[in-house]
Amino acid sequence: MLQDLISYSRYESPIGQILSFYNDNILCLLDFTDCQDRWGKLLKRRFPNLLLEEVSGLSDLDMRLDDYFSKSPTAFDDLAMDTGGTDFQKQVWAALCKVPFGSKETYSSMASIIGKPKAVRAMAAANALNPISIVIPCHRIVGKDGSLTGYGGGLKRKKSLLLHEQL
């Protein structure tokens, strides 16, 4: 049986340790270490014959994360990613990348932005399955009343990320 070799590295962030996963040196998943149930399921679903290999050393992504946590709104511009997912999920994730640093959108506004105003729940479900946390800024999506709802890394981190991005 052919193995799906996925390399990963660790990054110490102000809001917890982050793991970045690479398939053929392309970022395919980024999540917090303590969210293993979530990232484990996402990896297994996409790579059924998963074999993980930890790598060390400063990477381009580490420098970009340093920039992000130093409030650079362009830290992730032109970063090569391979999200996998359905066409609809990819459409949602691409739209999330267009929500500016320091801004927020609602689930319903995002559904309208992608041209599917009645697909709020489907948009929210795709948002929840975002495999590349922070880089694809799903944390910028809030409830219609501005409340913080849902975030794979936890609402405390979502709040921290939104506060961090305030300009």
Side-chain angles (χ1 to χ4, degrees):
M1 177 184 335
L2 192 58
Q3 296 285 334
D4 296 315
L5 181 61
I6 304 297
S7 59
Y8 71 98
S9 62
R10 299 171 188 272
Y11 176 85
E12 296 297 334
S13 86
I15 56 173
Q17 189 177 72
I18 294 172
L19 297 175
S20 52
F21 297 87
Y22 302 87
N23 181 23
D24 290 329
N25 296 314
I26 303 288
L27 182 67
C28 63
L29 193 140
L30 186 136
D31 210 336
F32 297 94
T33 304
D34 60 356
C35 297
Q36 184 172 359
D37 285 347
R38 176 185 144 73
W39 57 258
K41 286 177 187 171
L42 289 173
L43 282 172
K44 276 299 225 184
R45 182 179 303 139
R46 186 153 176 220
F47 306 103
N49 300 312
L50 180 65
L51 177 63
L52 292 175
E53 173 185 59
E54 186 168 7
V55 295
S56 60
L58 189 64
S59 71
D60 174 59
L61 182 62
D62 291 346
M63 292 182 281
R64 288 172 181 262
L65 285 165
D66 284 345
D67 289 347
Y68 171 81
F69 285 109
S70 295
K71 291 195 172 232
S72 171
T74 59
F76 304 120
D77 286 1
D78 302 319
L79 177 65
M81 298 181 283
D82 179 11
T83 59
T86 66
D87 289 342
F88 179 76
Q89 288 170 331
K90 290 177 186 178
Q91 181 183 19
V92 168
W93 299 332
L96 289 172
C97 289
K98 293 177 183 168
V99 178
F101 187 96
S103 298
K104 291 181 261 186
E105 290 286 347
T106 64
Y107 292 96
S108 56
S109 68
M110 289 303 296
S112 292
I113 287 169
I114 63 170
K116 299 182 182 349
K118 296 183 188 243
V120 176
R121 288 186 183 198
M123 185 272 152
N127 191 58
L129 292 173
N130 169 19
I132 304 180
S133 183
I134 301 173
V135 176
I136 298 175
C138 58
H139 59 275
R140 295 180 188 153
I141 310 306
V142 298
K144 197 172 197 169
D145 63 358
S147 62
L148 301 187
T149 60
Y151 184 64
L155 290 181
K156 183 177 176 183
R157 283 190 177 121
K158 182 173 186 163
K159 182 178 181 180
S160 293
L161 289 167
L162 290 172
L163 287 172
H164 163 73
E165 291 184 2
Q166 289 180 350
L167 300 172

